[in-house]
Amino acid sequence: MPSKKISINHSTIETQLKSASVFAENDTGKWSLQFRVKNLGEKSLKLPAYELSIRTAEGYSIPVNAKAFENVTLKPLEEKLIDLEADVPLNMKQNMLQLQLMEPAMEGKVRFPTAYYKIPYAQEGKSHLGLENIIENSHGKFGVKLSLYQRLPWGDGDQIAARISIRNTKDSAVQLPELKAMVKAGMRDLSSTAQIVVPTDQTTLAPNETVEMYVLAKVPYSYNFNQLRIELQEVSEEKVTKFLSLKTNALNNVMNQVAAGESYRISTPGKKAEIRERMSTVYRGNSSNLMYTELEMTSQETRYSRQAQLVAYYKTPDNEYFEAEINQSADKTSPNGKNLVTVWSKLPLNVNTSELVLYIGEGVSNGKLTALGEESTGSINTMGLALRPRAIDPAASLGNVELFPYRLSITRGEAELSKGKDRLDTVIHYNLSRDGDYETGEYEHKLIMEIIDPTGQSTEKTLTLGTDLTIGSNKSYSITLNNNFGKNVSGGAVRINLYDEFQGRRMLLGSQSYPIIYEEIPSEGTDKAND
């Protein structure tokens, strides 16, 4: 588009309507205009507070917000781009518009238009997933790409998450401004729920360097839309100006999934890790089941680092989502170090647990990745992990009992009963080890020991691994039972059942019987005869 020169206080500036585009919303044409100004003089120059308006073929004058022209000073040969916006009723000819530049009003002076610029008619371009568009603003020239779009449950609604890549195409470094997001899904404005997340906290881009940021917003889960508009706005003390905008109708919900037994990688800098399913099982109940998964999370960083706070959902083939609880270590992990992450959720009895997929994302809150142990307000980079649930068959003996990362082996057990006594003394001899390759959060499993005496009565003890049962070899643990054993028992065995209890639900790990050693206590007369 042709440029126009304007004289200001014996200096000259070059002006140009550099670009224009429009999209329709309700009965309005929403115009975005980019205006270029350049100081051709040898001294710094402050621009007048020009008034701008759009002249229509029908003779109407529509005001244009001209705050961007306030307090603009140009150094010699300096050039600036100024973004303008205007709303033109659609019943007016959108292809016959002019931008009018008017000097500020002065008392006693008749005003005339300073310049007119023909506004070329061009519909706003659309962004396609994975394709880069070049945009230019007052900070530089950037390659912008919508690289990922996801929509997933969040609480009682949905969350949309868009990953935007911004590449600096200039030969010099660029400082990114403070940004906020305006998000529209269809005709609904979601901006009040929007947050921008930059996982790396990166604010400066070297030549050809790219930063990835995420724009998140909440939407009612029943709301359907086929158009998404995201505008990143620069925030300063004086004003809010557009940095870039994206619009797309190609709302493909990109949910990548890995097959059961396979792993996937978290690629976020500082949080790189490989995740795979270690095991999944179901704790059965009368009114609901509890789905339980253990994940092995291996750090791929070359330094000690804290891993990403995960967010997870179990998904059924019918697109039902069940929010999951997560327990993971808050400690730093060494390079190639492993974390054991436990995930669980209560499910209705009619859910087929053999067909579940675990959706896992990286938690975010307040524009940053969530610190370990803190609550997330959203998630990014969600992946699906197909599961292989398996039943835990009770062992026929207690020689090898696993409550990962612990392993228990009861090597011997016996109970002692003295004739005429009501006390049954039971002792087990065991080895207990812990897999030291894994960092874990708080261990939430309980080991329940149930002892069934020869009379059929049951006694339970809750044992804390590492405390009640200490780690090491050739250890022993004793428990005393009191009943009418002296009258009713003269031999037999005690049966020990071991249960894994998690969130109040139990799973039998194994059972074994151990003999009762019956001691005949010599009478007092017998002792004297022996003497």
Side-chain angles (χ1 to χ4, degrees):
M1 283 168 270
S3 61
K4 298 178 184 291
K5 293 180 180 178
I6 299 175
S7 179
I8 303 174
N9 297 330
H10 309 294
S11 293
T12 302
I13 63 169
E14 183 179 77
T15 66
Q16 180 187 25
L17 181 59
K18 189 173 177 64
S19 66
S21 65
V22 64
F23 69 92
E25 186 174 279
N26 295 327
D27 297 326
T28 302
K30 310 285 282 188
W31 280 91
S32 294
L33 311 172
Q34 195 170 68
F35 197 76
R36 182 180 68 87
V37 291
K38 182 177 182 179
N39 182 7
L40 301 179
E42 298 176 352
K43 296 181 180 179
S44 292
L45 176 67
K46 183 178 180 181
L47 296 184
Y50 286 114
E51 295 179 14
L52 290 96
S53 60
I54 289 180
R55 301 288 297 180
T56 73
E58 294 81 3
Y60 293 96
S61 179
I62 298 172
V64 175
N65 189 335
K67 284 188 176 181
F69 272 96
E70 294 178 2
N71 302 316
V72 175
T73 300
L74 296 174
K75 298 174 184 176
L77 301 181
E78 184 180 9
E79 181 179 298
K80 283 190 177 181
L81 294 175
I82 299 174
D83 289 307
L84 307 169
E85 293 182 347
D87 294 344
V88 179
L90 285 179
N91 59 5
M92 299 181 183
K93 296 177 181 178
Q94 304 291 310
N95 60 347
M96 298 181 67
L97 303 176
Q98 286 185 315
L99 178 66
Q100 176 181 278
L101 192 69
M102 182 80 76
E103 290 183 355
M106 294 182 65
E107 187 176 351
K109 183 178 179 181
V110 179
R111 291 196 302 164
F112 296 96
T114 303
Y116 286 101
Y117 307 84
K118 178 176 171 53
I119 300 177
Y121 179 78
Q123 291 190 353
E124 182 185 51
K126 296 182 177 66
S127 299
H128 297 281
L129 205 64
L131 296 181
E132 184 180 77
N133 296 315
I134 301 298
I135 64 107
E136 192 171 3
N137 57 33
S138 59
H139 293 275
K141 198 178 223 182
F142 302 93
V144 178
K145 179 170 59 177
L146 178 63
S147 52
L148 182 68
Y149 168 81
Q150 294 182 326
R151 178 174 179 172
L152 280 170
W154 191 267
D156 59 358
D158 278 359
Q159 169 202 267
I160 57 175
R163 185 171 70 208
I164 299 172
S165 301
I166 302 176
R167 180 175 63 88
N168 176 19
T169 66
K170 292 179 63 176
D171 294 332
S172 57
V174 173
Q175 181 76 27
L176 294 176
E178 181 184 351
L179 297 170
K180 72 173 186 177
M182 186 278 290
V183 180
K184 273 192 175 180
M187 298 301 297
R188 184 168 297 199
D189 192 341
L190 309 177
S191 303
S192 62
T193 70
Q195 63 172 311
I196 297 176
V197 178
V198 185
T200 59
D201 293 329
Q202 188 176 357
T203 58
T204 302
L205 290 180
N208 209 41
E209 188 176 14
T210 298
V211 63
E212 288 191 335
M213 59 180 62
Y214 299 79
V215 176
L216 281 66
K218 303 297 192 303
V219 62
Y221 83 92
S222 58
Y223 179 61
N224 295 317
F225 57 94
N226 56 15
Q227 185 182 94
L228 179 68
R229 176 183 301 279
I230 298 173
E231 184 173 297
L232 300 186
Q233 298 172 332
E234 178 182 351
V235 181
S236 65
E237 293 181 0
E238 301 88 13
K239 57 185 180 293
V240 174
T241 56
K242 182 172 72 174
F243 182 79
L244 65 85
S245 63
L246 292 169
K247 172 189 171 185
T248 181
N249 293 344
L251 294 175
N252 297 321
N253 197 3
V254 181
M255 299 307 305
N256 294 322
Q257 182 174 315
V258 297
E262 299 295 321
S263 65
Y264 80 91
R265 291 178 181 270
I266 291 177
S267 301
T268 303
K271 306 292 182 184
K272 293 177 183 176
E274 183 179 30
I275 294 180
R276 69 172 64 246
E277 175 195 21
R278 202 197 79 83
M279 65 88 72
S280 294
T281 192
V282 180
Y283 290 81
R284 303 288 176 184
N286 294 326
S287 59
S288 64
N289 291 324
L290 189 137
M291 186 67 194
Y292 174 87
T293 299
E294 289 179 354
L295 300 174
E296 182 182 278
M297 191 173 181
T298 306
S299 174
Q300 301 293 303
E301 294 291 337
T302 59
R303 304 290 188 274
Y304 271 86
S305 61
R306 285 188 170 86
Q307 297 191 316
Q309 173 71 61
L310 301 182
V311 172
Y313 287 82
Y314 289 102
K315 175 185 173 293
T316 71
D318 297 328
N319 293 320
E320 293 178 322
Y321 291 86
F322 296 90
E323 186 175 354
E325 300 287 337
I326 287 189
N327 180 11
Q328 61 188 113
S329 172
D331 295 334
K332 287 185 176 181
T333 304
S334 65
N336 295 313
K338 295 180 181 180
N339 270 264
L340 182 68
V341 181
T342 54
V343 185
W344 69 94
S345 182
K346 187 170 70 172
L347 308 179
L349 291 175
N350 63 352
V351 172
N352 186 346
T353 54
S354 66
E355 298 179 338
L356 294 176
V357 174
L358 183 63
Y359 277 26
I360 310 169
E362 302 161 54
V364 298
S365 59
N366 300 317
K368 297 181 179 180
L369 293 172
T370 307
L372 283 167
E374 295 186 2
E375 186 175 353
S376 297
T377 58
S379 65
I380 59 175
N381 298 330
T382 300
M383 287 284 294
L385 187 63
L387 302 177
R388 296 183 298 185
R390 60 182 175 89
I392 305 299
D393 296 324
S397 73
L398 301 182
N400 187 7
V401 178
E402 181 180 297
L403 285 95
F404 197 80
Y406 294 94
R407 186 176 295 277
L408 172 67
S409 173
I410 297 180
T411 57
R412 190 174 87 255
E414 65 266 344
E416 291 185 357
L417 176 64
S418 298
K419 182 179 180 181
K421 302 291 184 180
D422 291 334
R423 190 177 74 182
L424 184 66
D425 295 314
T426 303
V427 61
I428 59 169
H429 303 270
Y430 67 90
N431 302 322
L432 179 66
S433 62
R434 185 188 186 282
D435 192 328
D437 290 341
Y438 289 83
E439 298 289 342
T440 64
E442 181 181 355
Y443 190 70
E444 297 184 307
H445 293 264
K446 296 176 182 177
L447 179 65
I448 308 297
M449 176 186 285
E450 179 187 30
I451 300 177
I452 302 175
D453 65 38
T455 69
Q457 293 202 20
S458 170
T459 302
E460 291 185 359
K461 293 287 289 185
T462 299
L463 303 178
T464 302
L465 297 177
T467 304
D468 296 316
L469 301 184
T470 56
I471 294 176
S473 300
N474 301 319
K475 302 288 185 177
S476 63
Y477 178 81
S478 300
I479 182 171
T480 297
L481 307 179
N482 290 291
N483 204 336
N484 293 324
F485 297 121
K487 296 179 181 178
N488 303 322
V489 178
S490 61
V494 296
R495 186 166 189 82
I496 294 180
N497 298 325
L498 291 183
Y499 297 90
D500 167 21
E501 183 175 284
F502 184 79
Q503 301 297 314
R505 297 166 187 253
R506 290 185 180 181
M507 184 181 295
L508 180 62
L509 298 175
S511 301
Q512 190 165 348
S513 294
Y514 298 97
I516 292 177
I517 300 172
Y518 187 76
E519 291 186 350
E520 293 273 2
I521 300 178
S523 65
E524 187 175 344
T526 304
D527 291 341
K528 289 181 179 179
N530 290 337
D531 289 341

